[in-house]
Amino acid sequence: MDQLFTVPEAAELLSTSVRFVRRLIAERRIEFVKVGRHVRIREAALITFVVAGTVAPMTTFDATGRAA
């Protein structure tokens, strides 16, 4: 089972503010778990969020439209 992180812990892992993580939760842009009144975020959900936002670097061909 994945580790569950609190909102402040998730914010620290993502190097963002707590407010940003709470916005992700409110907008349902990240998967989360409700434990009673508390919100927890699975480690896999954080990894998925980071991977989904990862942008591949441009190659010379991409920038110029022709091979180098």
Side-chain angles (χ1 to χ4, degrees), residues 23-49:
R23 187 164 46 106
L24 292 177
I25 292 167
E27 295 173 357
R28 310 272 182 178
R29 292 175 49 202
I30 194 167
E31 184 180 275
F32 61 94
V33 178
K34 291 281 287 190
V35 182
R37 292 177 17 194
H38 304 282
V39 173
R40 299 291 184 261
I41 303 167
R42 291 184 314 119
E43 183 177 17
L46 291 173
I47 293 169
T48 301
F49 177 76

Side-chain angles (χ1 to χ4, degrees), residues 4-68:
L4 295 175
F5 294 104
T6 62
V7 172
E9 291 170 341
E12 186 173 329
L13 285 170
L14 293 174
S15 299
T16 64
S17 67
V18 171
R19 183 177 178 187
F20 176 72
V21 176
R22 291 203 185 279
R23 187 164 46 106
L24 292 177
I25 292 167
E27 295 173 357
R28 310 272 182 178
R29 292 175 49 202
I30 194 167
E31 184 180 275
F32 61 94
V33 178
K34 291 281 287 190
V35 182
R37 292 177 17 194
H38 304 282
V39 173
R40 299 291 184 261
I41 303 167
R42 291 184 314 119
E43 183 177 17
L46 291 173
I47 293 169
T48 301
F49 177 76
V50 170
V51 169
T54 301
V55 179
M58 288 180 52
T59 63
T60 305
F61 181 80
D62 292 336
T64 63
R66 56 189 170 91

